[in-house]
Amino acid sequence: MGRDDERDVLDRMGRGLVYTESEAVFLDERRRADLIFAYNHTPPGEADKRRSLLRAILGSVGERPALHPPFSAAFGSNVHIGDDFFGNVNLAFVDDVEIRIGHGVMTAPSVTLTTTGHPVHPARRVDFARFSEPIVIEDKVWIGSNVVVLPGVRIGYGSVIGAGSVVAKDVPPMVVAVGTPCRVLRDITDDDLTTRTSAADR
């Protein structure tokens, strides 16, 4: 495959159009599978080694990241996370294109962030044909257990995604959204400051 062909594939990927496994094979050098394996098998006491591996795996990573193994990623290098990120076990990044995560984001166990889907008609899925669209998760978002975030979704500042949701469309800032498909349940307001007992109340 020549440079012009590679540019054509990258252009189609950038526009969310279909491309195949064979066409995208030149991107394999960006995969971080061995480093992800090493991270997932690093003893808990070797925090410095984990941090070093995470910086080698991800496209960019902020301060004080916490990512509990095991996690998986199609590439790893297309994931960008901000400061104070917390990812619980079994976080899956399907990052054929970029996943951008802001500051103070938390994910519960078994969350999947997938930038990639496949055509509905089987004749269009030959050679693992697929399309990819970036995911953006803004600052202070909390994503509950077993949530799936689909290609092209943006989740707005401070929002909470309820456990088990499938997020197929953008979620605005400062809302609680739940369900399959995920829908806004209500706004987050100052009333939520008192819905659980805080240390100051004791």
Side-chain angles (χ1 to χ4, degrees):
M1 178 178 283
R3 292 291 184 187
D4 287 344
D5 295 322
E6 291 178 4
R7 281 193 289 269
D8 174 66
V9 174
L10 290 171
D11 177 66
R12 276 187 279 140
M13 290 177 69
R15 292 189 289 140
L17 302 178
V18 172
Y19 61 97
T20 69
E21 178 73 12
S22 297
E23 289 176 323
V25 71
F26 69 95
L27 296 171
D28 282 353
E29 65 184 24
R30 302 181 188 179
R31 296 183 188 272
R32 303 290 183 259
D34 288 345
L35 292 171
I36 293 167
F37 180 88
Y39 184 94
N40 287 334
H41 291 82
T42 301
E46 296 185 17
D48 288 343
K49 182 177 180 182
R50 277 192 182 170
R51 279 192 291 270
S52 177
L53 282 167
L54 198 59
R55 293 190 186 284
I57 293 165
L58 301 183
S60 62
V61 56
E63 299 298 319
R64 299 170 298 277
L67 177 56
H68 291 318
F71 83 98
S72 63
F75 287 83
S77 58
N78 289 325
V79 176
H80 302 268
I81 64 175
D83 297 340
D84 301 308
F85 172 78
F86 178 82
N88 217 318
V89 296
N90 298 318
L91 177 56
F93 299 108
V94 184
D95 62 321
D96 292 55
V97 295
E98 285 190 346
I99 297 172
R100 292 205 165 265
I101 298 173
H103 303 307
V105 171
M106 300 190 301
T107 66
S110 301
V111 168
T112 299
L113 307 176
T114 179
T115 66
T116 296
H118 301 275
V120 171
H121 198 291
R124 299 205 66 201
R125 295 199 298 269
V126 175
D127 193 15
F128 307 108
R130 56 191 181 267
F131 60 87
S132 300
E133 296 180 278
I135 288 171
V136 176
I137 298 172
E138 297 182 3
D139 297 350
K140 304 291 187 181
V141 167
W142 171 28
I143 300 177
S145 297
N146 297 298
V147 167
V148 178
V149 180
L150 296 178
V153 165
R154 175 184 287 266
I155 300 176
Y157 174 92
S159 285
V160 175
I161 309 299
S165 298
V166 176
V167 189
K169 294 182 179 179
D170 291 355
V171 175
M174 293 296 286
V175 299
V176 176
V178 300
T180 303
C182 190
R183 293 184 175 90
V184 173
L185 179 65
R186 65 176 179 85
D187 291 335
I188 296 171
T189 69
D190 286 351
D191 289 342
D192 291 299
L193 293 169
T194 59
T195 54
R196 297 281 181 167
T197 301
S198 69
D201 296 328
R202 293 176 191 155

